[in-house]
Amino acid sequence: MGKRFSESAAKKAEGLARKKQQANAKQRAEQERLEAEEASKWETGSRQPNQKKILEEQKKQEKLKAKKERDALLADEHEIIASERKCKRR
């Protein structure tokens, strides 16, 4: 004897739902791949920053930072010397 409809209907519905989920996932993955491909096309045509200018700017910032540190150390040293002079006068 064959299976009754009531016995196989649930399995058939589960199978159809699983196939639909797999198809949706496949379609979503394909859409994401196409979007990534399109984004990469836009990036290849865009202007890239000049590496030489970036390096020059970094060096400039490093020099300014070093100068500020030196100035701070020099100011601290002057304060120490000034306080020592006051102590010696007394």
Side-chain angles (χ1 to χ4, degrees):
M1 298 261 222
K3 293 184 178 181
R4 293 185 179 162
F5 177 73
S6 60
E7 294 172 358
S8 62
K11 287 184 180 180
K12 184 177 181 182
E14 288 175 9
L16 290 175
R18 187 173 55 252
K19 284 184 180 181
K20 187 174 181 177
Q21 284 179 343
Q22 289 173 348
N24 286 341
K26 186 176 180 181
Q27 188 178 17
R28 204 173 324 122
E30 179 67 18
Q31 184 67 26
E32 289 174 1
R33 185 188 66 80
L34 290 174
E35 287 176 1
E37 194 174 292
E38 184 71 21
S40 68
K41 286 180 184 177
W42 279 98
E43 284 183 17
T44 52
S46 66
R47 277 184 75 178
Q48 300 296 326
N50 189 348
Q51 294 298 321
K52 187 175 180 181
K53 287 184 179 181
I54 292 173
L55 288 174
E56 287 177 1
E57 186 65 28
Q58 286 177 346
K59 286 180 183 179
K60 189 177 180 181
Q61 294 297 327
E62 289 174 6
K63 284 182 181 180
L64 284 172
K65 183 179 176 184
K67 184 178 179 183
K68 286 180 181 179
E69 289 176 359
R70 283 194 310 268
D71 289 343
L73 289 174
L74 188 60
D76 290 342
E77 190 174 319
H78 283 300
E79 287 178 18
I80 293 170
I81 292 172
S83 65
E84 287 178 358
R85 287 183 186 168
K86 288 180 184 177
C87 293
K88 287 183 181 180
R89 288 183 189 172
R90 292 181 183 174

